[in-house]
Amino acid sequence: MSHIFVTSASGHIGTFLVPLLLRSPAIKHLFLPTTNAPRLEAQVPKSDRITILDGSIQYPAWVEENFKKYQIDTVFLCLTGLDELFTTCNFLSSVTRSGCVKHLIYVSACGDLMPKSVFHERSGGLMAAHMLVKAAIEQMLHQSKSFRENGKTYTILGPSLFYTNDLRGKESMMGPEGIYEEAIGTKGVSRVDEEDIALAVVKVAEDPHRWNGKKVNIGSKELYTEHDFSQLWTEALGKPIKVAPNNEQGLDQVERVFSTARNPMWGRGIRLMYELFGNMEFGLTDEEHDTQRELLGREPSSYEEFVKRTGADWREELAK
């Protein structure tokens, strides 16, 4: 039975992951690092199988100390942010130095991110930093002698675009102009339910050797274009919904929105990501879909059903 160290336990994936891990007979205890213990304690289920660790994963010595103290054998690593590269590289160093961690489950991004892949070709040499860092970490894992020589194993999960990204567009879609502000374009993108990602993590944790050294992309087989998004949300909300165009004007607006909501660095990063989506499909091959289905033990969740449920909830709120 595993002792698992779960980063981002209150995040989009972690919210689903912690309850699923508690239901797994293969998981003995969960260790949840945080810099705000009272808040996390209020967010996760009450269980004597959960230990909340008050500290920052940005401090390698603290991470190593807790790995050894609690004999952590499995790690779920899900990070994002401006310091993601530094934090992840140092964290992986702590994993190799721990002497007890046996398996790493790393959340990357959907697709082939290796050098000379279509991602790098279609991006014209410019890629969003929050995607490029995933490529760097994947390459590091694939080439790491420290992992192979110390008997450690790893699995990479590559989710597509989260369902809950749509929730940040509630105000603009419900407003008088009815705008879906994500400049998706006409090539098509896959969507993923965060609960499916969480289920994939549990399945890997239960059988790590089966999935050792593999990348499993997670998301819908269907690719959705700006036309699809307009049609789905129009039907769900009972009003016309227009999608921001994937052109200079639309991408300028995306950058302004995210610069205001987060900061200018994220604004430009998100713009670069959508520029890439304007040039290529973002999703799973048939073979990747079959692998995902094998891991999950079922078909991935339906994005269409998510849109219907969410639209119904928003309309009900508006009617009150």
Side-chain angles (χ1 to χ4, degrees):
M1 295 177 71
S2 292
H3 283 192
I4 184 168
F5 188 93
V6 179
T7 63
S8 304
S10 62
H12 292 296
I13 301 171
T15 300
F16 295 105
L17 178 58
V18 170
L20 287 178
L21 288 170
L22 288 173
R23 292 201 291 269
S24 172
I27 306 301
K28 183 176 182 179
H29 205 94
L30 284 66
F31 296 87
L32 314 181
T34 179
T35 56
N36 191 332
R39 183 175 64 184
L40 182 58
E41 186 174 359
Q43 293 173 322
V44 299
K46 306 298 181 187
S47 173
D48 57 7
R49 293 169 56 207
I50 289 179
T51 296
I52 294 178
L53 304 175
D54 196 357
S56 174
I57 61 171
Q58 292 183 328
Y59 295 100
W62 181 85
V63 172
E64 290 170 35
E65 176 187 347
N66 282 280
F67 282 171
K68 295 173 183 177
K69 179 179 179 180
Y70 296 106
Q71 286 298 288
I72 304 296
D73 56 72
T74 304
V75 169
F76 169 68
L77 182 59
C78 178
L79 299 178
T80 188
L82 300 179
D83 54 2
E84 183 177 353
L85 183 60
F86 262 101
T87 303
T88 305
C89 289
N90 289 341
F91 189 95
L92 293 180
S93 172
S94 297
V95 168
T96 61
R97 291 164 57 90
S98 68
C100 56
V101 176
K102 297 176 183 177
H103 191 74
L104 171 75
I105 304 169
Y106 174 65
V107 177
S108 181
C110 185
D112 180 4
L113 304 184
M114 291 296 95
K116 300 183 180 179
S117 72
V118 67
F119 269 88
H120 294 268
E121 176 187 336
R122 297 291 176 84
S123 68
L126 290 175
M127 188 181 287
H130 66 285
M131 298 181 73
L132 186 60
V133 64
K134 306 295 188 187
I137 299 304
E138 282 193 32
Q139 189 170 4
M140 182 186 301
L141 287 172
H142 288 315
Q143 297 178 352
S144 173
K145 290 183 179 180
S146 297
F147 266 73
R148 293 193 300 271
E149 293 174 355
N150 290 299
K152 301 184 187 304
T153 57
Y154 68 89
T155 303
I156 299 169
L157 300 178
S160 58
L161 293 186
F162 289 7
Y163 285 3
T164 54
N165 287 359
D166 290 358
L167 302 183
R168 64 194 177 204
K170 177 181 179 181
E171 184 176 350
S172 59
M173 282 194 280
M174 295 296 285
E177 295 186 6
I179 301 292
Y180 183 92
E181 293 180 326
E182 315 281 332
I184 295 297
T186 60
K187 301 297 184 181
V189 297
S190 168
R191 302 304 301 265
V192 65
D193 186 343
E194 290 91 325
E195 190 167 5
D196 285 353
I197 307 170
L199 177 60
V201 174
V202 175
K203 296 290 189 178
V204 170
E206 291 175 340
D207 194 2
H209 292 286
R210 179 180 178 184
W211 302 100
N212 176 33
K214 297 180 180 180
K215 178 175 183 178
V216 183
N217 290 314
I218 309 292
S220 63
K221 186 176 182 179
E222 299 79 11
L223 299 180
Y224 300 94
T225 66
E226 58 185 32
H227 172 75
D228 298 320
F229 284 105
S230 175
Q231 184 175 23
L232 287 170
W233 281 106
T234 293
E235 293 175 357
L237 296 176
K239 57 177 287 189
I241 298 296
K242 297 175 288 185
V243 177
N246 192 280
N247 56 23
E248 195 70 16
Q249 179 183 0
L251 293 167
D252 283 347
Q253 177 63 15
V254 166
E255 183 168 356
R256 283 193 294 270
V257 168
F258 280 91
S259 294
T260 301
R262 303 282 294 270
N263 57 57
M265 287 183 285
W266 268 108
R268 179 54 57 91
I270 297 297
R271 180 198 183 110
L272 287 169
M273 181 181 74
Y274 281 115
E275 285 181 356
L276 181 63
F277 295 162
N279 292 324
M280 64 173 286
E281 294 179 349
F282 180 68
L284 287 69
T285 65
D286 289 344
E287 182 180 356
E288 290 168 342
H289 178 73
D290 290 342
T291 301
Q292 169 192 210
R293 189 168 50 191
E294 179 186 354
L295 174 58
L296 296 180
R298 60 165 172 77
E299 290 288 340
S301 302
S302 167
Y303 175 65
E304 287 90 339
E305 289 303 315
F306 165 80
V307 173
K308 289 178 184 177
R309 290 195 309 269
T310 304
D313 290 344
W314 291 356
R315 294 172 72 176
E316 185 178 346
E317 288 177 15
L318 189 63
K320 290 181 180 179

